[in-house]
Amino acid sequence: MINFSFVARNGEQAIPLDVKLDYQPGHQTQRARRIAVGELLAKLELETAAIDASGSDMVTVTTTDGTWVIGESYSNHASRGKL
């Protein structure tokens, strides 16, 4: 199992999106991003949106309520405690 963590941002709003996929050889990040878009639409209770996945590290989702940018979520090393 591979875990992907994304964050969808719209201004000051942020929605965490976690995607779990069964391991398959090769790159699975794009597949995980597509699933994250679906999860965002489900959380926002929307059925349609304009999606731009042309960026290599983010997806832009434009809805009637605004534009959301989905990017990878990185943890803050300081919040992990002692290393």
Side-chain angles (χ1 to χ4, degrees):
M1 190 67 67
I2 299 175
N3 297 320
F4 293 89
S5 294
F6 299 100
V7 174
R9 297 188 187 279
N10 177 358
E12 295 295 320
Q13 299 178 23
I15 298 175
L17 303 166
D18 294 318
V19 176
K20 295 181 182 182
L21 298 175
D22 289 330
Y23 174 77
Q24 294 178 359
H27 299 287
Q28 295 189 53
T29 306
Q30 186 167 353
R31 180 174 174 228
R33 283 189 190 117
R34 287 193 301 260
I35 294 170
V37 168
E39 287 190 20
L40 175 64
L41 294 177
K43 287 185 179 189
L44 296 175
E45 298 179 354
L46 297 172
E47 293 183 14
T48 60
I51 299 167
D52 178 6
S54 62
S56 63
D57 60 348
M58 67 178 185
V59 177
T60 304
V61 180
T62 304
T63 69
T64 55
D65 297 330
T67 300
W68 291 84
V69 176
I70 299 175
E72 292 188 45
S73 173
Y74 298 100
S75 61
N76 185 351
H77 290 214
S79 67
R80 293 183 186 175
K82 286 187 173 183
L83 296 176

